[in-house]
C-alpha cells in the first residue's frame, strides 16, 4: 500500500481538445515527463468507439510501464483489462463488486465517492483507492464538490488512500493534502496548461514540499 500511496500522490487525468491539437497521448507523455505517479485515461468522447479507445489505452500503457507509472482507465473495464492497464476507475453508478471480480485481486480499482457512507461501501466491495471532487470544476460539472471539510470526513471514514480532484493545481494542492488525502489529481491544470510538463513539475514540487514538511518523501 505504501508504493500505491506514493504513486497516487500526483495523479494526472488526461483530456483531449482543451488545447487545440493536444490529445490524450500528448497529455500522458507530458505528465510522465513531469513526474506524475499515476496517469488516468479519461476519454468519454471515445467510449462509443471502443477500438480507438483501446488503441489509445495501449499506447499510454506502453509509455507508463517502463517508467513505473500507474496507468488507470476511466470507466471502461474491458479496455482497462485488454490494454494491460494497472486498473480502472469507476463512478457511483458502476458495479464495483463485479468489477473487482473481473479484475482479480491484484489490479487497482478506484471509485469516486461523495460521502463517508459511499467510502465505506466502496471499501467493503473491494476498492483500492477513492477519488473525491473537492472543488467545483468545469471539467466534471456532474460531480458534487465536497469541500475541504467533506474531504476530511471521507478520509476519516476509510483506511483506503483518498485522492482529491476538481479544481486542483500547484497553488492549492497542499491544502487538499492537509485533509489527510493521499494525493491530488489534476485535469485542466495539466492538460490545459501552456506547458503541461512544467505544470506537472510544479504540482510535483508542491506535493513534495508538503510531504517534506510532514516528514515524508515522494521518492525513495
Amino acid at each position: 500500500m505504501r508504493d500505491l500511496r506514493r504513486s497516487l500522490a500526483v495523479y494526472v487525468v488526461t483530456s483531449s481538445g482543451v488545447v487545440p491539437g493536444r490529445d490524450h497521448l500528448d497529455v500522458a507523455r507530458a505528465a510522465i515527463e513531469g513526474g506524475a505517479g499515476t496517469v488516468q485515461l479519461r476519454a468519454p468522447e471515445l467510449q462509443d468507439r471502443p477500438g480507438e479507445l483501446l488503441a489509445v489505452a495501449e499506447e499510454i500503457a506502453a509509455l507508463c510501464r517502463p517508467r513505473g507509472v500507474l496507468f488507470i482507465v476511466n470507466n471502461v473495464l474491458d479496455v482497462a483489462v485488454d490494454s494491460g492497464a494497472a486498473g480502472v476507475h469507476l463512478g457511483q453508478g458502476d458495479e464495483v463488486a463485479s468489477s473487482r471480480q473481473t479484475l482479480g485481486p491484484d489490479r487497482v480499482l478506484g471509485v469516486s465517492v461523495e460521502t463517508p457512507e459511499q467510502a465505506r461501501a466502496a471499501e467493503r466491495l473491494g476498492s483500492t483507492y477513492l477519488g473525491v471532487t473537492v472543488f467545483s470544476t468545469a471539467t466534471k460539472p456532474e460531480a458534487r464538490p465536497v469541500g475541504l471539510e467533506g474531504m476530511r470526513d471521507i478520509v476519516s471514514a476509510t483506511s483506503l488512500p483518498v485522492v482529491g480532484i476538481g479544481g486542483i493545481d500547484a497553488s492549492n494542492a497542499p491544502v487538499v493534502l492537509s485533509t489527510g488525502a493521499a494525493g491530488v489529481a489534476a485535469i485542466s491544470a495539466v492538460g490545459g496548461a501552456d506547458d503541461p510538463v512544467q505544470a506537472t513539475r510544479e504540482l510535483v514540487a508542491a506535493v513534495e514540499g508538503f510531504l517534506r514538511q510532514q516528514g515524508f518523501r515522494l521518492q525513495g
Side-chain angles (χ1 to χ4, degrees), residues 38-202:
T38 298
V39 170
Q40 181 194 121
L41 170 62
R42 180 176 181 267
E45 77 281 6
L46 294 179
Q47 287 193 197
D48 60 350
R49 290 177 276 165
E52 290 182 43
L53 181 61
L54 177 59
V56 174
E58 288 174 335
E59 288 187 89
I60 297 177
L63 291 175
C64 289
R65 197 172 298 114
R67 300 288 291 272
V69 174
L70 198 68
F71 175 48
I72 305 294
V73 173
N74 181 269
N75 205 42
V76 187
L77 180 61
D78 57 344
V79 169
V81 172
D82 294 345
S83 67
V88 69
H89 188 93
L90 302 176
Q92 276 298 302
D94 299 307
E95 292 293 333
V96 177
S98 61
S99 297
R100 169 51 71 201
Q101 186 174 12
T102 299
L103 287 169
D106 298 325
R107 273 183 158 141
V108 175
L109 174 57
V111 178
S112 294
V113 301
E114 297 178 345
T115 66
E117 293 74 20
Q118 289 177 355
R120 287 189 285 266
E123 183 169 5
R124 287 195 304 270
L125 292 172
S127 178
T128 313
Y129 76 92
L130 305 175
V132 177
T133 300
V134 184
F135 307 121
S136 60
T137 171
T139 311
K140 295 184 70 177
E142 75 283 359
R144 187 184 70 178
V146 303
L148 296 173
E149 286 303 317
M151 186 69 164
R152 289 189 184 94
D153 291 343
I154 291 170
V155 168
S156 298
T158 179
S159 64
L160 297 178
V162 181
V163 177
I165 192 170
I168 298 174
D169 57 23
S171 69
N172 59 12
V175 73
V176 175
L177 293 171
S178 73
T179 66
V184 290
I187 304 178
S188 58
V190 171
D194 291 338
D195 185 340
V197 176
Q198 181 60 27
T200 305
R201 287 174 178 159
E202 290 173 1

